[in-house]
Amino acid sequence: MSGKLGIHSLVFTDDWSPAAAEASCRAAAEIGFELIEVLLFDPAALDIPLTRRVAREAGLELRLGMALGPDTDIASNDPEVARRGEASVARCLEIAAELEAPAVSGITYAAFANYAAPATTAQRAQVAASLARLDRRAGELGVRLGLEPVNRYESYLVNTLDEAADLIRASGGSNLFIHMDTFHMNIEEGDIAAAIHRNAALLGYAHVADSNRGLLGGGHFDVLGYCRALESAGYRGDLTVEAFSSNMLGDGLVGGVRLWREAWQDSLVAAKAAYDVVRVARESARAGCTVW
């Protein structure tokens, strides 16, 4: 694994005002992280010059995440909603190019929502066609688009690495990749190492989160085993810590991810602990990996 170690800005705060953004980037860099991921809640609301400045001043690279909502759902049966969703992803790709970030990834294929019925064959075909157009736009801009499989309570279209790979193949895209998230993999994958190896050629980014989505190392997810699987599969992408504490987030996010408990009081302590967990696991995997 030769990728960079990163941290999600939500470990520190969901406030991206100048003071908060500067403090988050400065803290991440001082701990030793090489990149910070910023979530595009609303593409129109992101302060692009601020984001560029605070990352550069801290010496960090940028990664961008996003999640479509019910009013921007590419899988929607309402053509206008689906159109808005595709336009939203396209705008995020443009922002990535403006910020010289290599990609946008996340729930880029349907809404972040709890659905009552499975997606239809027609909806899957609709999303594949939309992703094909977005893939072409990404290529024009020189960036990539990632699909993050999430658990069944947060989406109905892509819950596993295999499903993400199937959708990428159906779209025919050459600028699409799978964005792994260990919190969701812990729920949905029957054999995480096997899923990694089956889809190794499409893996491009990873969120490292524990089973309880809180302090990394505070749950039961096997971070070392995960890093060993990545190492043996030849993964060369980035590893970004994603962890949440309810006292660091606003009500909208807390309710969206059902985050009812405070995982920590001090984000600096939590971020440093997470950095140590991932760094040690990655170095151990490099040193002692056996053939899978």
Side-chain angles (χ1 to χ4, degrees), residues 53-191:
R53 177 179 63 79
V54 295
R56 285 182 176 174
E57 287 178 351
L60 297 173
E61 292 188 15
L62 283 167
R63 300 294 181 267
L64 299 177
M66 68 170 297
L68 293 169
D71 62 338
T72 55
D73 185 354
I74 285 176
S76 175
N77 291 318
D78 183 332
E80 180 58 24
V81 172
R83 185 201 63 77
R84 283 200 302 269
E86 186 171 325
S88 180
V89 178
R91 178 56 188 143
C92 289
L93 291 170
E94 292 168 355
I95 290 171
E98 290 177 52
L99 288 172
E100 299 181 351
V104 173
S105 59
I107 310 177
T108 57
Y109 46 82
F112 168 50
N114 195 338
Y115 293 83
T120 65
T121 300
Q123 284 174 307
R124 291 183 182 278
Q126 174 178 305
V127 172
S130 180
L131 289 174
R133 292 187 292 270
L134 289 166
D135 174 80
R136 289 193 292 273
R137 182 57 177 149
E140 292 169 355
L141 293 165
V143 297
R144 303 183 72 207
L145 178 62
L147 281 63
E148 179 184 10
V150 297
N151 71 77
R152 66 195 71 186
Y153 307 108
E154 297 182 18
S155 186
Y156 67 165
L157 198 73
V158 178
N159 302 133
T160 66
L161 302 191
D162 289 342
E163 289 174 334
D166 287 345
L167 192 52
I168 290 172
R169 284 190 286 266
S171 74
S174 59
N175 300 294
L176 306 179
F177 63 91
I178 299 173
H179 167 169
M180 298 175 284
D181 186 309
T182 61
F183 169 76
H184 302 291
M185 295 170 76
N186 181 69
I187 296 170
E188 298 292 349
E189 302 289 355
D191 186 327

